[in-house]
Amino acid sequence: MASSMAGDGVSEKQSGKKSKKTKTEDESELLTVPDGWKEPMFTREDNPRGLLEESSFATLFPKYREAYLKECWPLVEKALGDTHIKASLDLIEGSMTVCTMKKTFDPYAILRARDLIKLLARSVPFEQAVRILQDDVACDIIKIGTLVRNRERFVKRRQRLIGPKGSTLKALELLTNCYVMVQGNTVSALGPFGGLKEVRKVVMDTMKNIHPIYNIKTLMIKRELSKDPDLRTQSWERFLPKFRHKNLAKRKEPKKKTVKKEYTPFPPAQPESQVRHHIPLQLPQYYSNMGHSF
């Protein structure tokens, strides 16, 4: 009887382990995207009646971008014309405008056109900015001008993000599959959604005086771990490096510490008299010797 009970207990444990394994395998299958799968394109059949009202967006561009925009504007009009979006360039006011037409059937096309003119105004070349019209590409414009008060520190940290001869920025682009452009007080990123999230984290940490090489090492480790199908559903914290801040220059404490007295509104007590206390004042005898009576 005892042996049969023991055998039943072992079989139950084994069945429990198998059930846990099957659950994790099912979850991993649900989380993984099949190879070669793409979301279907949005066509006119999905929205045959078009849009009800006209939408438009406008943005300003700096003076030094005027010559480049004037040169590449026919290409911008051609790229937006395929999605039935009208684009206009105003060199007098220094602005770019995009608006929908009657033939526009994709409601999200105007938002992509808005992002396109924003990227062009942020010194992103047209060859890279036109990728925003694709479904699996997004953009993120990170404002870094107000994150650091001191101008010299801001310039140093921005240069640290770029790296010597742009090596740090190139490594970040290879790891995130994003195009990153650092210009003035902004950082423009263009690529998949997951890569944009990592780019924003690296940029914000760099402005907080955390060297980008630490985040690049973490991204390299994550990239290698993602290749292993068994580790996709597990926590990666034990593999990732943990960096701690070290305050090397500490302020030395003085040997003698002065303790401040408590504040009291009353004046200090008067000092005692310097007259010797052992000689009493014999006032009655003194006056009696002088001939006065009391």
Side-chain angles (χ1 to χ4, degrees), residues 65 122-125 169 173 179-183 186-190:
R65 294 288 291 172
R122 301 287 180 178
S123 302
V124 177
L169 203 63
E173 290 179 351
Y179 174 80
V180 184
M181 180 73 181
V182 181
Q183 179 70 21
T186 57
V187 178
S188 303
L190 183 74

PDB file of all heavy atoms in Angstrom, residues 65 122-125 169 173 179-183 186-190:
ATOM      1  N   ARG A  65      17.061  75.423 -43.775  1.00  0.00           N
ATOM      2  CA  ARG A  65      16.452  74.275 -44.458  1.00  0.00           C
ATOM      3  C   ARG A  65      15.702  74.684 -45.723  1.00  0.00           C
ATOM      4  O   ARG A  65      15.179  73.829 -46.441  1.00  0.00           O
ATOM      5  CB  ARG A  65      15.483  73.555 -43.519  1.00  0.00           C
ATOM      6  CG  ARG A  65      16.129  72.892 -42.343  1.00  0.00           C
ATOM      7  CD  ARG A  65      16.886  71.662 -42.755  1.00  0.00           C
ATOM      8  NE  ARG A  65      16.013  70.576 -43.189  1.00  0.00           N
ATOM      9  CZ  ARG A  65      16.440  69.457 -43.746  1.00  0.00           C
ATOM     10  NH1 ARG A  65      17.729  69.294 -43.983  1.00  0.00           N
ATOM     11  NH2 ARG A  65      15.597  68.511 -44.101  1.00  0.00           N
ATOM     12  N   ARG A 122      13.203  69.013 -38.954  1.00  0.00           N
ATOM     13  CA  ARG A 122      14.226  68.684 -37.953  1.00  0.00           C
ATOM     14  C   ARG A 122      15.516  68.182 -38.592  1.00  0.00           C
ATOM     15  O   ARG A 122      16.286  67.468 -37.959  1.00  0.00           O
ATOM     16  CB  ARG A 122      13.698  67.621 -36.993  1.00  0.00           C
ATOM     17  CG  ARG A 122      12.451  68.027 -36.238  1.00  0.00           C
ATOM     18  CD  ARG A 122      12.738  69.038 -35.170  1.00  0.00           C
ATOM     19  NE  ARG A 122      11.525  69.416 -34.461  1.00  0.00           N
ATOM     20  CZ  ARG A 122      11.471  70.264 -33.444  1.00  0.00           C
ATOM     21  NH1 ARG A 122      12.591  70.820 -33.023  1.00  0.00           N
ATOM     22  NH2 ARG A 122      10.346  70.553 -32.856  1.00  0.00           N
ATOM     23  N   SER A 123      15.760  68.526 -39.855  1.00  0.00           N
ATOM     24  CA  SER A 123      17.005  68.223 -40.577  1.00  0.00           C
ATOM     25  C   SER A 123      17.162  66.752 -40.918  1.00  0.00           C
ATOM     26  O   SER A 123      18.280  66.293 -41.175  1.00  0.00           O
ATOM     27  CB  SER A 123      18.236  68.700 -39.778  1.00  0.00           C
ATOM     28  OG  SER A 123      18.159  70.083 -39.537  1.00  0.00           O
ATOM     29  N   VAL A 124      16.081  65.979 -40.930  1.00  0.00           N
ATOM     30  CA  VAL A 124      16.150  64.589 -41.373  1.00  0.00           C
ATOM     31  C   VAL A 124      16.086  64.579 -42.895  1.00  0.00           C
ATOM     32  O   VAL A 124      15.220  65.222 -43.491  1.00  0.00           O
ATOM     33  CB  VAL A 124      14.998  63.764 -40.776  1.00  0.00           C
ATOM     34  CG1 VAL A 124      15.027  62.331 -41.283  1.00  0.00           C
ATOM     35  CG2 VAL A 124      15.080  63.783 -39.257  1.00  0.00           C
ATOM     36  N   PRO A 125      16.987  63.875 -43.576  1.00  0.00           N
ATOM     37  CA  PRO A 125      16.939  63.838 -45.052  1.00  0.00           C
ATOM     38  C   PRO A 125      15.677  63.172 -45.560  1.00  0.00           C
ATOM     39  O   PRO A 125      15.067  62.332 -44.888  1.00  0.00           O
ATOM     40  CB  PRO A 125      18.209  63.058 -45.429  1.00  0.00           C
ATOM     41  CG  PRO A 125      18.582  62.296 -44.212  1.00  0.00           C
ATOM     42  CD  PRO A 125      18.137  63.110 -43.042  1.00  0.00           C
ATOM     43  N   LEU A 169      26.402  56.682 -31.814  1.00  0.00           N
ATOM     44  CA  LEU A 169      25.107  56.804 -32.490  1.00  0.00           C
ATOM     45  C   LEU A 169      24.912  55.678 -33.509  1.00  0.00           C
ATOM     46  O   LEU A 169      23.804  55.149 -33.664  1.00  0.00           O
ATOM     47  CB  LEU A 169      25.024  58.168 -33.174  1.00  0.00           C
ATOM     48  CG  LEU A 169      23.626  58.711 -33.459  1.00  0.00           C
ATOM     49  CD1 LEU A 169      22.876  58.949 -32.164  1.00  0.00           C
ATOM     50  CD2 LEU A 169      23.713  59.993 -34.260  1.00  0.00           C
ATOM     51  N   GLU A 173      21.978  52.793 -33.562  1.00  0.00           N
ATOM     52  CA  GLU A 173      21.142  52.547 -34.740  1.00  0.00           C
ATOM     53  C   GLU A 173      21.135  51.071 -35.130  1.00  0.00           C
ATOM     54  O   GLU A 173      20.100  50.522 -35.508  1.00  0.00           O
ATOM     55  CB  GLU A 173      21.634  53.398 -35.914  1.00  0.00           C
ATOM     56  CG  GLU A 173      21.370  54.890 -35.751  1.00  0.00           C
ATOM     57  CD  GLU A 173      21.908  55.689 -36.922  1.00  0.00           C
ATOM     58  OE1 GLU A 173      22.633  55.104 -37.757  1.00  0.00           O
ATOM     59  OE2 GLU A 173      21.613  56.888 -37.005  1.00  0.00           O
ATOM     60  N   TYR A 179      16.752  54.952 -37.297  1.00  0.00           N
ATOM     61  CA  TYR A 179      17.590  56.060 -37.761  1.00  0.00           C
ATOM     62  C   TYR A 179      17.489  57.171 -36.727  1.00  0.00           C
ATOM     63  O   TYR A 179      16.393  57.611 -36.373  1.00  0.00           O
ATOM     64  CB  TYR A 179      17.123  56.563 -39.133  1.00  0.00           C
ATOM     65  CG  TYR A 179      17.852  57.801 -39.603  1.00  0.00           C
ATOM     66  CD1 TYR A 179      19.116  57.712 -40.183  1.00  0.00           C
ATOM     67  CD2 TYR A 179      17.275  59.061 -39.447  1.00  0.00           C
ATOM     68  CE1 TYR A 179      19.792  58.847 -40.607  1.00  0.00           C
ATOM     69  CE2 TYR A 179      17.944  60.197 -39.873  1.00  0.00           C
ATOM     70  CZ  TYR A 179      19.196  60.084 -40.448  1.00  0.00           C
ATOM     71  OH  TYR A 179      19.865  61.213 -40.862  1.00  0.00           O
ATOM     72  N   VAL A 180      18.629  57.634 -36.223  1.00  0.00           N
ATOM     73  CA  VAL A 180      18.663  58.634 -35.158  1.00  0.00           C
ATOM     74  C   VAL A 180      19.419  59.860 -35.681  1.00  0.00           C
ATOM     75  O   VAL A 180      20.521  59.726 -36.230  1.00  0.00           O
ATOM     76  CB  VAL A 180      19.335  58.088 -33.884  1.00  0.00           C
ATOM     77  CG1 VAL A 180      19.254  59.119 -32.762  1.00  0.00           C
ATOM     78  CG2 VAL A 180      18.687  56.786 -33.452  1.00  0.00           C
ATOM     79  N   MET A 181      18.829  61.026 -35.493  1.00  0.00           N
ATOM     80  CA  MET A 181      19.420  62.288 -35.939  1.00  0.00           C
ATOM     81  C   MET A 181      19.447  63.252 -34.774  1.00  0.00           C
ATOM     82  O   MET A 181      18.401  63.584 -34.208  1.00  0.00           O
ATOM     83  CB  MET A 181      18.591  62.882 -37.092  1.00  0.00           C
ATOM     84  CG  MET A 181      19.120  64.200 -37.616  1.00  0.00           C
ATOM     85  SD  MET A 181      20.629  63.981 -38.567  1.00  0.00           S
ATOM     86  CE  MET A 181      21.004  65.668 -39.008  1.00  0.00           C
ATOM     87  N   VAL A 182      20.645  63.709 -34.391  1.00  0.00           N
ATOM     88  CA  VAL A 182      20.816  64.673 -33.302  1.00  0.00           C
ATOM     89  C   VAL A 182      21.072  66.027 -33.930  1.00  0.00           C
ATOM     90  O   VAL A 182      22.072  66.220 -34.640  1.00  0.00           O
ATOM     91  CB  VAL A 182      21.984  64.272 -32.381  1.00  0.00           C
ATOM     92  CG1 VAL A 182      22.118  65.272 -31.244  1.00  0.00           C
ATOM     93  CG2 VAL A 182      21.772  62.871 -31.823  1.00  0.00           C
ATOM     94  N   GLN A 183      20.163  66.961 -33.704  1.00  0.00           N
ATOM     95  CA  GLN A 183      20.284  68.283 -34.316  1.00  0.00           C
ATOM     96  C   GLN A 183      19.747  69.323 -33.347  1.00  0.00           C
ATOM     97  O   GLN A 183      18.572  69.295 -32.975  1.00  0.00           O
ATOM     98  CB  GLN A 183      19.497  68.333 -35.629  1.00  0.00           C
ATOM     99  CG  GLN A 183      19.535  69.675 -36.344  1.00  0.00           C
ATOM    100  CD  GLN A 183      20.899  69.988 -36.933  1.00  0.00           C
ATOM    101  OE1 GLN A 183      21.698  69.070 -37.159  1.00  0.00           O
ATOM    102  NE2 GLN A 183      21.188  71.246 -37.156  1.00  0.00           N
ATOM    103  N   THR A 186      16.993  68.863 -30.240  1.00  0.00           N
ATOM    104  CA  THR A 186      16.094  67.718 -30.401  1.00  0.00           C
ATOM    105  C   THR A 186      16.859  66.511 -30.942  1.00  0.00           C
ATOM    106  O   THR A 186      17.905  66.646 -31.572  1.00  0.00           O
ATOM    107  CB  THR A 186      14.945  68.043 -31.370  1.00  0.00           C
ATOM    108  OG1 THR A 186      15.501  68.447 -32.627  1.00  0.00           O
ATOM    109  CG2 THR A 186      14.044  69.131 -30.832  1.00  0.00           C
ATOM    110  N   VAL A 187      16.287  65.334 -30.677  1.00  0.00           N
ATOM    111  CA  VAL A 187      16.783  64.075 -31.233  1.00  0.00           C
ATOM    112  C   VAL A 187      15.619  63.431 -31.967  1.00  0.00           C
ATOM    113  O   VAL A 187      14.584  63.132 -31.361  1.00  0.00           O
ATOM    114  CB  VAL A 187      17.317  63.134 -30.135  1.00  0.00           C
ATOM    115  CG1 VAL A 187      17.770  61.811 -30.741  1.00  0.00           C
ATOM    116  CG2 VAL A 187      18.467  63.784 -29.385  1.00  0.00           C
ATOM    117  N   SER A 188      15.776  63.222 -33.275  1.00  0.00           N
ATOM    118  CA  SER A 188      14.727  62.633 -34.099  1.00  0.00           C
ATOM    119  C   SER A 188      15.066  61.179 -34.361  1.00  0.00           C
ATOM    120  O   SER A 188      16.177  60.865 -34.810  1.00  0.00           O
ATOM    121  CB  SER A 188      14.595  63.386 -35.427  1.00  0.00           C
ATOM    122  OG  SER A 188      14.341  64.758 -35.202  1.00  0.00           O
ATOM    123  N   ALA A 189      14.122  60.293 -34.065  1.00  0.00           N
ATOM    124  CA  ALA A 189      14.313  58.854 -34.258  1.00  0.00           C
ATOM    125  C   ALA A 189      13.219  58.331 -35.178  1.00  0.00           C
ATOM    126  O   ALA A 189      12.063  58.769 -35.111  1.00  0.00           O
ATOM    127  CB  ALA A 189      14.284  58.112 -32.928  1.00  0.00           C
ATOM    128  N   LEU A 190      13.580  57.380 -36.030  1.00  0.00           N
ATOM    129  CA  LEU A 190      12.664  56.833 -37.029  1.00  0.00           C
ATOM    130  C   LEU A 190      12.906  55.338 -37.133  1.00  0.00           C
ATOM    131  O   LEU A 190      14.044  54.910 -37.388  1.00  0.00           O
ATOM    132  CB  LEU A 190      12.915  57.517 -38.384  1.00  0.00           C
ATOM    133  CG  LEU A 190      12.011  57.142 -39.548  1.00  0.00           C
ATOM    134  CD1 LEU A 190      10.641  57.760 -39.361  1.00  0.00           C
ATOM    135  CD2 LEU A 190      12.611  57.616 -40.857  1.00  0.00           C
TER     136      LEU A 190
END
